[in-house]
Amino acid sequence: MKLKKITCALFFMFTFPAVAADKGTLTIPTTAVTGNPLGVGSDQMVVPISILNGRELSLKRENTLAETLNSIPGVSNSSFGPSVGRPMIRGMDSDRIKILQNGVNNLDASNLSFDHGVSIDPLIIEQIDVIRGPATLLYGGGAVGGVVNAIDHRIPKEKLEGITGRGEVRYGGANLEQSNAAVVDVGTGNFVMHFDAYNRDSKNLRIPGNAISNRHESTQVWNPAKDGTLGTHEAGVYSGGYDTYPTNHGRKKLLNSQSETRGGAVGASMIFDRGYAGVSYAKHQTKYGSVKEPGILLDMDTDRIDFASEIRDLGSFFERAKFKAAYTDYRHHEMDAVTIHTTFKNRAIDGTFELMHVPLLGLKGVIGTQFDNGKFDAVGHEAFTPNSKTNSQSVYVYEELPLNQHKMTFGLRHGKHEVESKGGEPDEHGHNKFGDPSRKKFNTNNAAIGGLYKLNEQWSLTGNLSHNERAPSYFELFANGAHTATGVFEEGQANLKKEKSNGLDGQIRWKSGQDSLTLGAYFNKFSNFIGLLSTIEGGHGEHENETDEITYKKSTFSGIKAEFKGVELEGKTMLTDYVQFNVRGDYVDAKDKTNGGYVPRISPLKLGAGLKYEFDRFGARMDVLHAFKQDRVATNFNYEPGKELMTDAYTNVSMMATYKLPTQLNLEAFTRANNLLDQEIREHTSFLKDIAPMGGRSIMFGLRGEF
């Protein structure tokens, strides 16, 4: 409550009275592209990159980071309800997608389980860079699928005299969201301070019809508590049986999908002639319902301290040194109204140090090192992984060679990774499900070579060839327990080998003035792809340990051969001076080459088009996205008992209107309508697609301003 008052006070004290009388175009200052350590523009990048910033990002902000990025080709939302979702890129998720904040890993527990939210709220983010495809070279062996880097201004990097900032309030949507945010920077020249605060409250999501899909209503679903109470230890028995979801699981509203979010930060920097040094502290709190478990809440609390510094013009050989690091203290409780069932904690530090050298034989590049050290704890009867430690160090080199208007890039990375299980303690029956302490070590090597070839002023070609290696995560190695969110008994394998793949990526690009078109294709071949595979086809497994008998559908993290391939399309053209036409599309095909069939939760073919109109103070936009039926489903992967179900096609029509108010204040009102056809939209990439559809027809109103 106190944080909400602070947010409102900041918004009304700083945004409205202090707004300048300038009636110019409403834009938010942009941040340089961070996907390349040399700071080149996105059209000079060899790997595919998409950037959301400024006014476009402000109008696309949604509840989660993944939902905000859902319009980018190749990116989808692994939704676990309206408040939870990690970005999926090209059919890959979990540890294969790195989520960064200001170039440093966002260290929460969202990679462990689908019901764990990402501890970043889009309300205060100023820019989002999305690298599609292998980015292992600069961001570590885990980034086989891509990187999402959320950038804020919490550590100022430029001098400022006076006050600048922005604010926003909004209400509506399918979940009746009430949210507001304020961002303020205050400077006296070389010393600059940053303040931000935000809050977001939402109700149960309104949906077009039943929460349960027609296909799922006739499907038996494993219920671990059917013949016993999950979490009790009477006679050491956890049991279950097959059941169906009740017909009143949700109609017109998605039950237990409400959420409350609060957060804020303070930062400060000293700006020098040749660089800066700064620090920030941020707090993020959110409490949301578990759509799959009525009555269960997840209460998340994150504290993060960042430090960043850069020094330029170092001397004869090195031009620049850059250091950034973050310490994260994360925890969340899984609880009912009165009792905490399980607590997850993650305390970790992550950082990079980078040196950019002067041009050497035509080469421009950087050498760098990255480190991270984390301690993960899980306490409670639903803890399915042991307490663990992860420690990694990597060194890398990245170089670019300009060849007239063309360019070549190449680089290498070597990493050492240590993953340690603390083991477990015997329970009252003498059973120790996590066994003795164990330690695993891995060395990873990554390499990439690419090029950009300009055919003429408008047309260019890019290509990138990469070798990627990823060390298994702690849960892939050491998990051993019932996981309520996935509905299976998850079993890790301590003898897992590192994940290996080779990738090829290419694009053809055209750009002329404000018009552009990009068509890309990719192919990734995994010699060892780690996934959660069902151990008994068509039935449920048993796990027995002395006096404990746990009867669940059992799945084991295993390595298989797999292939991912796909195409992506994005373009825009000005039809008139005021009307722009946009087009997008993406397709991914991911096959299990060891057992046959497909990898689960792969996005279907999607095609979209839109019109954007802007004249004077008024703007309008209409977008149509059609997702085709997805019948390429998995048979050997089991995240929940039973075969993965097909997903029907849908067409999502959305509209937006904006109006810059004719006042001395730099204010813009906007309204946004989603799912105008009120269709039943189920995203195949969502783990809960058959019990939790997306929102129905809705409208949201908002007001934003800056000074």
Side-chain angles (χ1 to χ4, degrees):
M1 191 66 183
K2 188 178 293 185
L3 186 56
K4 185 173 183 179
K5 292 180 179 178
I6 294 174
T7 304
C8 294
L10 281 172
F11 185 82
F12 289 104
M13 288 174 59
F14 288 107
T15 303
F16 291 117
V19 169
D22 184 15
K23 295 184 181 180
T25 304
L26 185 63
T27 57
I28 296 176
T30 61
T31 308
V33 176
T34 61
N36 183 291
L38 304 182
V40 301
S42 59
D43 57 346
Q44 293 296 312
M45 291 281 289
V46 172
V47 297
I49 184 170
S50 298
I51 299 171
L52 272 180
N53 58 19
R55 181 168 174 265
E56 182 182 11
L57 171 60
S58 180
L59 296 173
K60 285 187 175 181
R61 289 190 178 102
E62 297 286 356
N63 278 2
T64 66
L65 194 63
E67 197 174 357
T68 301
L69 301 174
N70 221 8
S71 62
I72 295 177
V75 181
S76 49
N77 180 12
S78 62
S79 168
F80 203 93
S83 302
V84 185
R86 274 178 65 95
M88 291 182 68
I89 302 178
R90 295 180 170 179
M92 302 183 204
D93 61 0
S94 191
D95 272 358
R96 297 178 190 89
I97 305 301
K98 287 286 187 182
I99 298 180
L100 312 177
Q101 193 164 0
N102 304 309
V104 180
N105 278 323
N106 181 59
L107 299 166
D108 48 32
S110 60
N111 63 332
L112 172 66
S113 178
F114 298 103
D115 62 334
H116 297 176
V118 177
S119 58
I120 297 176
D121 195 293
L123 283 171
I124 48 82
I125 298 301
E126 305 290 354
Q127 176 169 312
I128 306 175
D129 295 348
V130 180
I131 301 176
R132 303 191 301 275
T136 58
L137 188 63
L138 296 174
Y139 300 107
V144 180
V147 166
V148 175
N149 188 17
I151 304 160
D152 54 55
H153 291 157
R154 286 172 168 172
I155 297 182
K157 299 179 180 180
E158 297 179 356
K159 294 181 180 180
L160 175 66
E161 291 277 1
I163 300 176
T164 65
R166 64 176 177 86
E168 182 175 315
V169 293
R170 54 174 69 190
Y171 175 79
N175 57 354
L176 293 181
E177 172 190 329
Q178 300 180 59
S179 61
N180 56 75
V183 178
V184 177
D185 290 310
V186 182
T188 59
N190 289 347
F191 182 71
V192 184
M193 293 196 69
H194 170 98
F195 304 91
D196 68 60
Y198 57 91
N199 67 74
R200 185 198 304 269
D201 292 335
S202 63
K203 309 299 182 184
N204 284 335
L205 186 74
R206 290 178 294 172
I207 56 178
N210 290 324
I212 309 300
S213 69
N214 292 332
R215 286 191 172 92
H216 204 62
E217 281 182 341
S218 60
T219 302
Q220 287 188 319
V221 180
W222 188 254
N223 178 1
K226 182 177 180 181
D227 298 323
T229 302
L230 181 65
T232 65
H233 292 270
E234 298 177 5
V237 174
Y238 292 73
S239 58
Y242 281 95
D243 205 346
T244 57
Y245 282 99
T247 56
N248 63 348
H249 187 76
R251 177 170 175 79
K252 296 300 182 182
K253 285 189 177 182
L254 188 59
L255 302 182
N256 204 32
S257 61
Q258 76 287 348
S259 67
E260 298 178 359
T261 300
R262 307 285 184 270
V266 58
S269 289
M270 286 296 299
I271 315 296
F272 311 103
D273 292 337
R274 296 192 300 136
Y276 70 91
V279 64
S280 69
Y281 165 75
K283 181 84 168 179
H284 177 82
Q285 298 173 307
T286 184
K287 181 182 287 187
Y288 59 91
S290 173
V291 175
K292 190 179 181 185
E293 302 172 88
I296 297 298
L297 298 174
L298 285 82
D299 187 359
M300 180 195 303
D301 194 325
T302 305
D303 294 276
R304 177 174 166 129
I305 300 173
D306 280 79
F307 175 81
S309 180
E310 180 178 341
I311 302 177
R312 299 179 291 271
D313 304 324
L314 291 177
S316 57
F317 187 75
F318 290 111
E319 288 186 344
R320 184 188 69 196
K322 182 184 294 185
F323 175 74
K324 49 192 174 185
Y327 171 76
T328 302
D329 187 352
Y330 168 93
R331 72 109 181 105
H332 86 252
H333 300 305
E334 298 185 1
M335 56 192 294
D336 57 28
V338 295
T339 305
I340 295 175
H341 298 295
T342 310
T343 297
F344 295 92
K345 297 180 180 179
N346 193 21
R347 296 181 178 89
I349 185 169
D350 183 275
T352 61
F353 177 69
E354 213 169 66
L355 288 168
M356 185 176 78
H357 63 74
V358 298
L360 184 65
L361 300 177
L363 292 171
K364 297 191 298 181
V366 299
I367 58 174
T369 180
Q370 181 182 5
F371 62 90
D372 69 78
N373 190 301
K375 180 182 179 183
F376 177 83
D377 295 331
V379 180
H381 62 252
E382 293 182 24
F384 61 96
T385 62
N387 295 343
S388 61
K389 284 186 176 182
T390 302
N391 190 10
S392 299
Q393 302 88 33
S394 301
V395 293
Y396 60 89
V397 58
Y398 174 84
E399 300 289 342
E400 293 188 356
L401 178 63
L403 300 170
N404 297 321
Q405 72 270 33
H406 317 302
K407 179 170 65 175
M408 286 190 64
T409 67
F410 58 91
L412 299 168
R413 184 185 185 103
H414 175 72
K416 292 182 177 294
H417 314 270
E418 183 177 278
V419 187
E420 179 183 358
S421 166
K422 294 298 184 180
E425 296 291 337
D427 59 20
E428 62 267 31
H429 308 289
H431 171 229
N432 181 359
K433 68 177 181 178
F434 295 130
D436 296 328
S438 177
R439 181 178 299 173
K440 303 295 292 183
K441 295 183 179 181
F442 303 90
N443 292 328
T444 57
N445 297 292
N446 296 272
I449 183 169
L452 183 150
Y453 184 81
K454 297 200 69 172
L455 300 173
N456 52 43
E457 289 300 316
Q458 288 81 38
W459 292 90
S460 62
L461 300 173
T462 67
N464 195 58
L465 179 65
S466 63
H467 172 74
N468 314 288
E469 297 182 357
R470 179 180 74 90
S473 63
Y474 63 94
F475 55 88
E476 292 169 331
L477 292 167
F478 304 123
N480 190 44
H483 188 186
T484 307
T486 58
V488 298
F489 187 99
E490 294 189 10
E491 183 179 61
Q493 289 195 75
N495 62 349
L496 280 175
K497 305 299 183 182
K498 58 188 176 183
E499 192 171 79
K500 290 184 179 181
S501 66
N502 295 313
L504 178 63
D505 191 296
Q507 285 188 326
I508 181 168
R509 303 172 181 173
W510 174 80
K511 185 175 183 180
S512 178
Q514 299 183 59
D515 301 340
S516 64
L517 179 68
T518 301
L519 176 64
Y522 59 88
F523 176 78
N524 287 318
K525 184 174 183 178
F526 286 82
S527 60
N528 189 46
F529 179 89
I530 300 174
L532 191 62
L533 275 68
S534 175
T535 55
I536 298 180
E537 181 69 22
H540 69 272
E542 287 190 355
H543 181 90
E544 297 184 3
N545 271 316
E546 299 179 2
T547 59
D548 280 10
E549 179 185 343
I550 304 175
T551 307
Y552 269 78
K553 182 81 171 183
K554 188 166 75 169
S555 294
T556 302
F557 286 102
S558 306
I560 62 168
K561 294 181 179 180
E563 288 182 358
F564 288 71
K565 55 188 175 184
V567 293
E568 295 162 349
L569 170 70
E570 188 171 22
K572 59 184 179 181
T573 185
M574 298 299 298
L575 300 179
T576 71
D577 290 342
Y578 310 112
V579 180
Q580 182 185 75
F581 174 74
N582 302 280
V583 63
R584 58 155 291 193
D586 60 75
Y587 173 82
V588 57
D589 181 79
K591 291 182 178 177
D592 176 353
K593 304 300 289 186
T594 297
N595 305 296
Y598 297 92
V599 175
R601 298 186 305 111
I602 298 300
S603 177
L605 170 64
K606 291 183 179 180
L607 294 174
L611 290 173
K612 182 179 178 181
Y613 171 83
E614 286 191 356
F615 178 75
D616 197 22
R617 297 181 180 275
F618 179 75
R621 179 166 183 160
M622 182 180 74
D623 290 285
V624 179
L625 176 67
H626 181 74
F628 290 76
K629 179 181 179 180
Q630 180 58 289
D631 55 8
R632 294 170 293 130
V633 294
T635 55
N636 292 290
F637 290 75
N638 274 311
Y639 291 94
E640 182 173 337
K643 181 181 177 181
E644 182 182 26
L645 302 177
M646 294 187 295
T647 304
D648 293 330
Y650 67 81
T651 300
N652 187 4
V653 180
S654 60
M655 295 187 69
M656 179 185 297
T658 61
Y659 182 71
K660 298 173 185 177
L661 300 182
T663 67
Q664 293 184 344
L665 305 177
N666 198 357
L667 300 175
E668 182 177 41
F670 64 89
T671 181
R672 187 173 66 198
N674 288 328
N675 194 7
L676 288 173
L677 302 181
D678 203 30
Q679 290 209 346
E680 183 179 288
I681 296 178
R682 298 185 186 272
E683 296 283 9
H684 192 77
T685 53
S686 169
F687 181 80
L688 298 185
K689 70 182 180 69
D690 287 297
I691 66 170
M694 308 302 286
R697 183 188 296 120
S698 65
I699 187 168
M700 171 178 282
F701 300 94
L703 180 67
R704 55 186 295 271
E706 62 183 51
F707 59 96

